[in-house]
């Protein structure tokens, strides 16, 4: 029997931007500050940058197989598990799986198309080694997940218990617990016909608990949901936008939702706004066990060229919330392991950075000279550089969160 879980919401509205507050929520570790932290960007004090070496353990460097069957994946999204690395691209590239220890190509899962086991695009992936599966949110397959057996590459479809009536494949996020054989799902709080804002279900679609939707904001397809799965046992939710619509970062689990951080930029935009006006803020947020990190850019002039909209952006200081103390400051994550090189992000409990072969030849050498690396890491970089050519496949840096 499913359990309805009530939440108390208080809505603070500014045009379509809204922040939802919860009362009586007790999810999370006891050594973390409780409650939502809400701040204005213009009033956040400058703080210290976070050094990557203080957030992660020993890094690994893996040169992916350059065999032609592996095929190169442009602008790849990388997911990592204990024994595997997966690579796919929103540019309609199928998922390729590699052995984490050797970088050897294992195989391709699914394909681009509309036939059995195929999809047009991948939006999100989780490698579930406990269940021996790869889970995908794919387009145009709304309200279902594609699940591929790692050993056989056979595909099955797992339906979601609730439907988003607007048919949007970008309106929900998911997290699979292969040991418990359940899926936690969260949906954007839009007028999309879904009766719940979050729920947990088994693989057959039986709801184990749910949180009813008691609030919604107008549909805005420029506000998208992100999930990075960096907090063990909890589904993290954050919103990525190219307009000024604002909402809160959350943690979901055990029938509860805990709000973490919202940042006000002092502007709002209506849902009818094109979203490409100058001076809009663009932001994306990552939830870590002890921090919430927000990257911020100021949008500049937007032009159409060859049928593609190109937007000039100006990087602004990022926002860091220390979840242990509740303190917020301006700062960045600095990759001191690789001599301050830019790029990379946190996903599946790892910091992951991808370098094309030519880029790693430059960055790897710089890291050997002045990076904050162990002798084992230096040795591995040196071995890769010795055999690397500009036409080889990507090199992946992986470092586990502490």
């Amino acid at each position: 029997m499913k359990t309805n879980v009530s939440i108390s919401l208080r809505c603070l509205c500014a045009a379509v931007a809204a922040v939802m507050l919860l009362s009586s929520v007790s999810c999370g570790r006891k050594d973390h500050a409780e409650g939502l932290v809400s701040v204005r960007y213009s009033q956040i004090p400058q703080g210290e940058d976070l050094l990557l070496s203080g957030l992660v353990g020993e890094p690994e460097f893996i040169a992916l197989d350059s065999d032609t069957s592996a095929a190169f994946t442009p602008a790849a999204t990388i997911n990592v598990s204990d024994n595997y690395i997966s690579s796919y691209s929103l540019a309609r590239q199928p998922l390729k799986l590699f052995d984490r220890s050797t970088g050897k190509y294992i195989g391709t899962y699914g394909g681009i198309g509309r036939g059995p086991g195929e999809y047009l695009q991948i939006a999100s992936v989780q490698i579930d080694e406990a269940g021996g599966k790869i889970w995908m949110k794919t387009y145009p397959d709304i309200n279902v997940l594609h699940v591929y057996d790692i050993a056989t590459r056979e595909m099955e479809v797992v339906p979601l218990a609730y439907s988003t009536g607007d048919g949007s494949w970008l309106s929900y996020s998911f997290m699979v617990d292969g040991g418990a054989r359940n899926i936690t799902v969260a949906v954007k709080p839009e007028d999309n016909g879904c009766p719940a804002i979050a729920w947990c279900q088994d693989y057959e679609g039986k709801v184990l608990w749910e949180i009813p939707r008691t609030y919604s904001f107008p549909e805005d397809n420029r506000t998208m949901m992100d999930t990075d799965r960096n907090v063990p046992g909890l589904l993290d939710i954050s919103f990525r936008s190219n307009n000024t619509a604002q909402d809160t970062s959350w943690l979901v689990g055990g029938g509860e939702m805990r709000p973490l951080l919202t940042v006000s930029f002092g502007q709002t935009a209506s849902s009818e706004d094109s979203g490409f006006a100058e001076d809009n803020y663009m932001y994306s947020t990552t939830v870590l066990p002890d921090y919430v990190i927000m990257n911020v850019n100021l949008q500049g002039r937007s032009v159409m060229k060859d049928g593609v909209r190109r937007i000039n952006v100006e990087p602004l200081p990022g926002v860091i919330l220390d979840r242990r103390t509740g303190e917020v400051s301006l700062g960045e994550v600095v990759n001191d392991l690789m001599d301050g090189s830019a790029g990379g992000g946190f996903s599946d409990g790892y910091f992951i950075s991808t370098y094309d072969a030519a880029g790693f030849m430059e960055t790897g050498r710089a890291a050997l000279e002045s990076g904050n690396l162990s002798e084992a890491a230096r040795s591995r970089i040196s071995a890769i550089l010795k055999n690397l050519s500009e036409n080889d496949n990507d090199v992946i840096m992986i470092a586990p969160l502490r």
Side-chain angles (χ1 to χ4, degrees):
M1 178 179 296
K2 70 183 180 182
T3 302
N4 288 327
V5 182
S6 297
I7 57 176
S8 175
L9 298 176
R10 180 162 56 94
C11 176
L12 305 177
C13 297
V16 302
V19 178
M20 293 181 289
L21 302 181
L22 289 173
S23 64
S24 303
V25 175
S26 59
C27 177
R29 292 173 10 188
K30 292 182 180 179
D31 57 343
H32 284 162
E34 296 292 331
L36 170 69
V37 176
S38 183
V39 293
R40 291 182 66 88
Y41 184 76
S42 61
Q43 298 176 354
I44 302 175
Q46 182 65 48
E48 298 291 331
D49 290 334
L50 293 177
L51 297 181
L52 184 63
S53 60
L55 299 175
V56 301
E58 179 71 9
E60 304 170 43
F61 297 89
I62 303 99
L64 296 185
D65 195 344
S66 294
D67 186 277
T68 54
S69 61
F72 295 76
T73 304
T77 296
I78 301 296
N79 290 87
V80 175
S81 65
D82 289 344
N83 295 294
Y84 301 108
I85 297 171
S86 70
S87 173
Y88 70 92
S89 172
L90 288 174
R92 297 199 172 186
Q93 294 286 328
L95 183 137
K96 296 173 176 58
L97 195 68
F98 298 84
D99 181 272
R100 174 171 163 177
S101 61
T102 65
K104 281 292 187 182
Y105 172 65
I106 295 173
T108 296
Y109 290 73
I112 303 302
R114 296 182 181 271
E118 295 180 333
Y119 41 77
L120 295 182
Q121 203 170 24
I122 303 172
S124 181
V125 165
Q126 182 180 349
I127 304 173
D128 166 32
E129 286 199 34
K133 308 288 186 182
I134 298 174
W135 294 73
M136 300 184 195
K137 182 172 69 169
T138 56
Y139 172 80
D141 310 290
I142 59 173
N143 305 317
V144 299
L145 296 172
H146 275 188
V147 188
Y148 291 84
D149 187 278
I150 292 176
T152 67
R153 302 187 209 174
E154 294 181 356
M155 189 272 290
E156 62 179 316
V157 172
V158 173
L160 299 183
Y162 291 126
S163 170
T164 55
D166 61 355
S168 173
W169 66 303
L170 296 174
S171 63
Y172 68 91
S173 293
F174 76 95
M175 178 188 70
V176 174
D177 184 334
R181 291 182 58 83
N182 63 43
I183 312 164
T184 302
V185 183
V187 177
K188 280 201 299 183
E190 295 180 330
D191 296 323
N192 53 25
C194 186
I197 195 171
W199 68 90
C200 183
Q201 65 172 74
D202 63 19
Y203 292 177
E204 288 70 43
K206 178 184 177 182
V207 175
L208 306 177
W209 55 257
E210 67 180 52
I211 300 175
R213 182 170 67 91
T214 60
Y215 163 80
S216 63
F217 56 69
E219 183 178 352
D220 186 342
N221 60 13
R222 294 178 308 278
T223 302
M224 294 191 293
M225 223 173 181
D226 285 333
T227 290
D228 297 307
R229 293 184 288 264
N230 289 311
V231 182
L234 295 174
L235 175 65
D236 59 289
I237 303 169
S238 59
F239 291 85
R240 175 165 44 91
S241 178
N242 69 338
N243 62 14
T244 55
Q246 301 154 25
D247 212 305
T248 311
S249 298
W250 303 81
L251 284 176
V252 182
E256 296 178 331
M257 294 183 68
R258 179 183 178 186
L260 301 178
L261 171 70
T262 192
V263 178
S264 170
F265 294 97
Q267 295 179 258
T268 59
S270 70
S271 58
E272 289 77 23
D273 191 289
S274 68
F276 301 112
E278 293 185 43
D279 298 328
N280 275 355
Y281 289 88
M282 304 170 65
Y283 54 89
S284 60
T285 307
T286 299
V287 180
L288 302 181
D290 290 329
Y291 296 94
V292 177
I293 300 168
M294 177 181 285
N295 295 320
V296 183
N297 291 281
L298 185 65
Q299 188 167 288
R301 186 181 179 187
S302 168
V303 297
M304 292 293 294
K305 184 177 181 180
D306 300 327
V308 177
R309 185 177 293 276
R310 304 177 188 276
I311 305 173
N312 294 318
V313 297
E314 175 191 350
L316 297 179
V319 179
I320 299 173
L321 164 66
D322 189 326
R323 294 185 54 214
R324 299 162 299 182
T325 64
E327 295 180 356
V328 182
S329 60
L330 297 178
E332 312 290 341
V333 175
V334 177
N335 188 350
D336 59 320
L337 295 174
M338 297 294 285
D339 191 30
S341 67
F346 298 92
S347 177
D348 300 313
Y350 296 92
F351 177 82
I352 304 170
S353 188
T354 305
Y355 304 88
D356 61 39
F360 190 78
M361 293 171 74
E362 178 181 347
T363 303
R365 291 190 181 102
L368 290 177
E369 293 180 3
S370 54
N372 187 14
L373 292 166
S374 67
E375 287 305 314
R378 291 177 182 276
S379 176
R380 178 57 181 153
I381 290 176
S382 296
I384 291 175
L385 290 174
K386 184 177 180 180
N387 298 294
L388 196 66
S389 71
E390 291 187 357
N391 295 321
D392 284 337
N393 207 339
D394 293 344
V395 177
I396 310 297
M397 171 186 169
I398 302 171
L401 282 168
R402 294 184 186 276

